[in-house]
């Protein structure tokens, strides 16, 4: 009964948020509370919730101060040269911008922290998507999938958990997986190319006339819309470029996104340019919060913070707390300015922290009632004995839904050891099981139980349901490609 109710609870939650019948926060709180009562454990709801909150409180604290830190870095212009460089490379081409999103997310993911990756990627790329009228859900989907592949780094979390659970060396797990993961990253780049091509066809041919004066731009033909875009810079001499949209769609009018195709943002570039949201500020070379004289200090502070994150000399929440305090004090000496900067980012802080604590209710009930254990046991027991010699493949396939439906801790410490024991009975080594357990990470990073995903959708201002509908199919495809590559190379 617990198994059935567990799967029904998760399915109910996903259906409600994907159909926009409930907000994610409301669904994360009310659905598990209802099912806790249905399983006859309503009297323990308070304990389950507090246990979940206790587990996620450090994560919530980390996200709160990380948002403030990177928000300040955006305000003072740390990422403006990155945006300007991307503009010059992409030349306002939607295809290049989407591919650039994947590359940037993959590179930043080397720090091993999903929240940091999403903050930097969204900060750098969102202004381009908004200004050009591109679908922002493409940004969130590509960034999450790229980060999912890179999340398998030994210091990223899953590999360390698998090594701990099975008493193995993290290097022995990860190093042989590099070829398969490289194929997975290539899959993400191919996917981003295809999605960028679709955006280019939807919007038309875009040119950025001020991106590189050394290369002549073709004369615009047909109907043209022009949008001013500040290039942004950390130095005083930032310029302004012009975006020309040459509509090159099919006969019969400008192509539009079909309903439900994952491109909900169908605003034209001229409409997007008129938006006065915070995401446009990173491109404004004249904003009052710029601190060009402190650029290298802020760059050094950020690099030092990322190095400390990787080396884990201090807990991550403490690092971001200290970093936010230093950045705020050095860049904004006046108390009123400090309050204004905190207030400017309070919406993102509240949204993300609220999501994390709401998710604590979901995970607390799922774990406390025993539903997650029963679900895992039922699925593992249902594996036929004939599949025993292929337990590594089974583990890889199971990792895709299980790392989406539960936390990494629950999967790696609860299910992977059981799968390893079952595989050992048929001669499958624990190393193969451990490597196969990493297959589902591209999808895991879009799980409603991963706090970092709320940073991604919150900063991009994308509905979680829209992100889920768009991303799931591509993330599953990427996971299957990694699994196929692992089989081809004899890794799993």
């Amino acid at each position: 009964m617990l198994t059935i109710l567990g799967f029904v609870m998760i399915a109910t939650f996903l259906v409600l948020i994907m159909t926009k019948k409930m907000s994610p926060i409301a669904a994360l709180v009310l659905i598990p509370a209802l099912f806790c009562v249905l399983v006859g454990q309503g009297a323990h709801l308070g304990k389950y919730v507090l246990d979940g909150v206790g587990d996620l409180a450090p994560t919530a604290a980390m996200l709160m101060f990380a948002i403030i830190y990177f928000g300040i870095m955006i305000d003072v212009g740390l990422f403006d040269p990155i945006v300007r460089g991307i503009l010059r490379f992409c030349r306002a081409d939607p295809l290049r911008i989407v591919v650039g999103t994947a590359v940037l997310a993959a590179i930043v993911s080397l720090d091993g922290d999903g929240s940091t990756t999403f903050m930097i990627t969204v900060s750098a790329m969102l202004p381009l998507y908004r200004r050009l009228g591109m679908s922002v859900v493409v940004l969130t989907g590509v960034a999450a999938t790229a980060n999912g592949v890179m999340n398998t780094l030994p210091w990223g979390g899953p590999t360390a958990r698998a090594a701990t659970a099975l008493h193995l060396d993290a290097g022995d797990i990860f190093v042989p997986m590099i070829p398969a993961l490289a194929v997975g990253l290539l899959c993400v780049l191919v996917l981003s190319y295809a999605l960028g091509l679709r955006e280019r066809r939807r919007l038309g041919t875009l040119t950025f006339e001020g991106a590189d004066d050394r290369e002549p731009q073709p004369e615009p033909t047909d109907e043209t819309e022009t949008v001013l875009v500040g290039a942004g810079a950390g130095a005083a001499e930032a310029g302004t470029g012009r975006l020309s949209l040459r509509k090159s769609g099919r006969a019969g009018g400008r192509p539009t996104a079909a309903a439900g195709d994952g491109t909900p943002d169908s605003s034209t570039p001229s409409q997007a340019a008129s938006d006065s949201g915070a995401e446009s500020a990173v491109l404004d070379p004249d904003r009052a919060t710029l601190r060009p004289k402190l650029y290298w200090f802020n760059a050094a502070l950020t690099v030092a913070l990322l190095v400390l994150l990787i080396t884990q000399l201090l807990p991550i929440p403490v690092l971001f707390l200290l970093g936010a305090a230093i950045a705020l004090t050095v860049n904004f000496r006046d108390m009123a300015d400090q309050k204004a900067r905190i207030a400017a980012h309070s919406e993102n802080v509240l949204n993300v922290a609220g999501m994390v604590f709401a998710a604590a209710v979901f995970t607390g009930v799922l774990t406390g009632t025993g539903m997650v254990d029963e679900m895992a046991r039922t699925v593992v027991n249902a594996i036929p004995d004939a599949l025993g010699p292929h337990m590594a493949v089974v583990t890889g396939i199971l990792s895709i839904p299980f790392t989406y439906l539960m936390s990494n801790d629950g999967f790696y410490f609860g299910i992977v050891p059981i799968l390893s024991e079952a595989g050992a009975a048929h001669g499958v080594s624990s190393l193969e099981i451990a490597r196969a357990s990493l297959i589902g990470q591209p999808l895991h990073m879009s799980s409603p139980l991963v706090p970092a995903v709320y940073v991604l959708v919150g900063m991009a201002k994308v509905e979680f349901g829209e992100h889920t509908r768009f991303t799931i199919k591509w993330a599953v495809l990427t996971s299957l490609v990694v699994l196929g590559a692992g089989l081809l190379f004899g890794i799993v």
Side-chain angles (χ1 to χ4, degrees):
M1 179 60 73
L2 282 176
T3 300
I4 296 174
L5 287 175
F7 282 115
V8 172
M9 183 180 85
I10 294 171
T12 302
F13 165 76
L14 292 175
V15 169
L16 288 174
I17 63 169
M18 290 176 68
T19 57
K20 299 184 180 180
K21 300 297 183 183
M22 292 183 72
S23 68
I25 287 183
L28 284 167
V29 173
L30 297 180
I31 299 304
L34 173 62
F35 276 83
C36 186
V37 174
L38 291 178
V39 300
Q41 300 188 38
H44 303 289
L45 177 61
K47 179 182 182 302
Y48 298 155
V49 172
L50 290 179
D51 288 343
V53 169
D55 291 338
L56 291 181
T59 300
M62 180 271 290
L63 294 177
M64 288 173 60
F65 290 104
I67 289 172
I68 293 175
Y69 178 83
F70 284 105
I72 292 172
M73 292 299 109
I74 294 168
D75 294 335
V76 300
L78 179 63
F79 301 113
D80 284 14
I82 298 176
V83 176
R84 184 174 55 179
I86 293 173
L87 268 175
R88 287 175 173 169
F89 166 75
C90 297
R91 305 193 62 78
D93 181 358
L95 189 154
R96 291 192 180 191
I97 289 174
V98 178
V99 174
T101 301
V103 173
L104 179 61
I107 292 173
V108 181
S109 294
L110 291 172
D111 76 338
D113 180 66
S115 301
T116 304
T117 298
F118 295 148
M119 288 177 196
I120 294 177
T121 303
V122 173
S123 299
M125 303 303 297
L126 183 60
L128 306 182
Y129 281 77
R130 292 294 191 196
R131 293 286 187 169
L132 273 60
M134 295 174 62
S135 174
V136 181
V137 77
V138 173
L139 185 159
T140 62
V142 169
T145 307
N147 178 252
V149 175
M150 298 298 291
N151 194 45
T152 53
L153 292 167
W155 54 88
T159 302
R161 287 180 174 90
T164 302
L166 300 181
H167 308 289
L168 300 170
D169 182 80
D172 292 337
I173 298 173
F174 175 74
V175 174
M177 280 292 290
I178 291 177
L181 295 173
V183 173
L185 194 57
L186 178 62
C187 174
V188 174
L189 293 176
V190 172
L191 169 64
S192 63
Y193 180 90
L195 294 173
L197 189 61
R198 185 173 72 175
E199 284 296 281
R200 178 196 281 175
R201 289 170 178 168
R202 183 174 71 87
L203 292 171
T205 302
L206 297 160
T207 60
F208 183 68
E209 297 176 357
D212 191 344
D213 296 333
R214 293 172 299 179
E215 297 183 21
Q217 296 293 329
E219 290 296 326
T221 58
D222 302 326
E223 186 179 356
T224 300
E225 295 180 19
T226 301
V227 184
L228 293 179
V229 179
E237 61 272 13
T240 299
R242 296 175 65 84
L243 278 172
S244 289
L245 168 62
R246 293 186 296 149
K247 296 182 178 179
S248 57
R250 299 174 184 173
R254 178 178 179 269
T256 58
D261 71 345
T263 54
D265 187 355
S266 57
S267 59
T268 65
S270 58
Q271 292 169 331
S274 64
D275 293 343
S276 57
E279 67 275 357
S280 300
V282 73
L283 287 177
D284 182 5
D286 300 316
R287 61 188 185 276
T289 58
L290 280 177
R291 297 293 186 270
K293 293 182 179 180
L294 294 172
Y295 182 84
W296 292 112
F297 168 82
N298 290 315
L301 179 62
T302 301
V303 170
L305 183 60
L306 295 179
V307 170
L308 291 173
L309 281 173
I310 295 174
T311 57
Q312 299 181 2
L313 293 180
L314 285 173
I316 295 178
V318 176
L319 288 175
F320 276 114
L321 193 155
L322 293 173
I326 294 172
L328 194 64
T329 303
V330 173
N331 288 282
F332 302 96
R333 305 292 179 85
D334 188 78
M335 184 69 69
D337 291 338
Q338 293 181 10
K339 291 181 178 179
R341 288 304 90 211
I342 294 175
H345 303 291
S346 60
E347 181 182 356
N348 278 338
V349 170
L350 181 61
N351 286 338
V352 172
M355 286 286 193
V356 172
F357 286 121
V361 179
F362 195 94
T363 57
V365 170
L366 198 62
T367 303
T369 57
M371 284 191 282
V372 68
D373 292 333
E374 288 298 320
M375 292 163 60
R377 192 173 295 111
T378 299
V379 172
V380 172
N381 291 338
I383 299 174
D385 290 338
L387 292 178
H390 309 287
M391 191 57 68
V393 178
V394 172
T395 300
I397 294 174
L398 289 179
S399 72
I400 299 175
F402 270 118
T403 55
Y404 183 81
L405 300 176
M406 64 177 61
S407 67
N408 271 339
D409 286 337
F411 177 69
Y412 286 102
F413 294 117
I415 294 181
V416 171
I418 299 174
L419 294 172
S420 180
E421 291 180 8
H426 295 275
V428 180
S429 71
S430 56
L431 269 175
E432 292 180 87
I433 298 296
R435 292 167 190 159
S437 69
L438 303 175
I439 299 297
Q441 288 305 305
L443 179 61
H444 170 74
M445 291 310 299
S446 292
S447 168
L449 305 180
V450 175
V453 74
Y454 298 115
V455 175
L456 176 64
V457 298
M459 291 186 67
K461 294 180 174 59
V462 170
E463 290 291 334
F464 183 79
E466 291 180 354
H467 170 78
T468 301
R469 283 200 306 272
F470 176 81
T471 307
I472 282 182
K473 55 183 177 293
W474 305 121
V476 170
L477 174 63
T478 303
S479 295
L480 293 176
V481 167
V482 175
L483 178 60
L487 291 172
L488 180 65
F489 296 138
I491 300 169
V492 296

